[in-house]
Amino acid sequence: MSSQLDSHDTLQDEPDDLLGFDQQDRPQMIDAIKASGPGWTEPTQSITFSASIGWRPDLINNDTAVCHLHIVNKLYPHIIKRIKAARAAQRQVIVAAPLNAWYSNETLSSLDELEICPLLLQPKGQRNPSEWTAKQYRSIAELIAMNNLKLDPETTRKMGHRILDNALNAKKPAELGWRFEDFLCFLFSQISYFEIYKHNYSNTTEEIDLVLKNNRVMESILLLSPIVLISGKNKQTAVGVPALTSLRTKMSKRRGRCKLGFLCASRSIASTVSMDELSYRLDDKIVVLLDGEELRGLLDKSEILDQEIEKLTIEAALS
């Protein structure tokens, strides 16, 4: 067996900056990953994916999943190559890392393209290497959105189009829903004055796709709306008036704290929706309508996302 097949990824294999973590942190992080779900064990030998590619990951879960612990300053090419081989072999790949290892635009983009499942490692309480927790996300997009990670414009544009394409190409109903929801989380998280509060939020009577905190409530362009609601529809047919009515009803139930909403369609919005929205001209709430073409337009203007959202809000108010 070749040395490539025998090699085991340890900190000694990665001589660069370890982002402030060392060999004392590693076993505690591994323990946190094991505690995050059943079935994780440390492998005793490499997995052979081809004649030239083998991998002894940090953890395995039967024959279905592998886990790589990432605590260095970049995702090395040989790791990417092994992840690709594992994905091609229909293995789920989990990449676990502390928050500061997720700041790299290059790492986030590469792992999003490979469709890995990210696991966020966090120390309990104060910085204590003996205790860690692990939180899994269903996608890199969700990880970015829920941890307020800001990307450069080119990465935002590239990743955004890919995430939206994946949502449009999804086949199963549940996947259609969560992929488009994750795209909206990703897109709106890159607007500086918005912060994702929760997505797929539900109470005893209703479900809301995405709830934002508006951190610029004193600016008149964005209204006095500390809470912003977003409704996303990923469907082949045009989104109709019932979706607008549902969103406006949910906005009205927020005790006066929600004056701004976005109705987002992955493809198209029926013309009847904009006509119906005109009937609310005397209302103090604004709903911005965004179809698939307009969502892609926002991605293509990722350098000025903040200004574009303000512009769309003004146009919705003036219509």
Side-chain angles (χ1 to χ4, degrees), residues 244-252 277 280 283 285 287:
L244 174 65
T245 303
S246 175
L247 175 58
R248 279 194 159 273
T249 299
K250 292 171 183 176
M251 292 169 64
S252 298
E277 177 63 12
Y280 293 97
D283 190 80
K285 300 174 186 62
V287 174

Side-chain angles (χ1 to χ4, degrees), residues 12 24-25 44-45 58 60 62 75 80 115 134 140 151 160 208 217 228 253 267 269 288 291:
Q12 290 91 339
Q24 291 182 344
D25 295 283
T44 58
Q45 59 184 7
D58 295 287
I60 59 172
N62 299 316
L75 195 66
I80 295 176
E115 296 222 295
I140 290 291
L151 308 181
I208 301 170
V217 294
V228 178
K253 294 180 179 179
R267 290 178 173 85
I269 297 177
V288 180
D291 61 19

Side-chain angles (χ1 to χ4, degrees), residues 71-134:
I71 54 175
V72 293
N73 64 353
K74 64 179 291 185
L75 195 66
Y76 289 88
H78 68 276
I79 296 297
I80 295 176
K81 187 176 181 180
R82 292 169 184 174
I83 292 174
K84 285 181 179 178
R87 295 292 293 128
Q90 304 301 310
R91 299 281 186 109
Q92 182 186 40
V93 177
I94 309 292
V95 174
L99 186 59
N100 59 345
W102 290 115
Y103 289 150
S104 166
N105 282 243
E106 182 180 1
T107 294
L108 290 167
S109 183
S110 296
L111 293 179
D112 172 70
E113 187 171 7
L114 292 168
E115 296 222 295
I116 65 92
C117 292
L119 199 68
L120 177 63
L121 297 170
Q122 296 177 298
K124 289 184 178 180
Q126 298 297 319
R127 179 70 172 85
N128 182 353
S130 66
E131 292 187 81
W132 290 79
T133 61

Side-chain angles (χ1 to χ4, degrees), residues 229-243:
L229 300 189
I230 296 175
S231 176
K233 304 296 180 184
N234 187 9
K235 51 192 292 189
Q236 295 284 344
T237 56
V239 173
V241 171

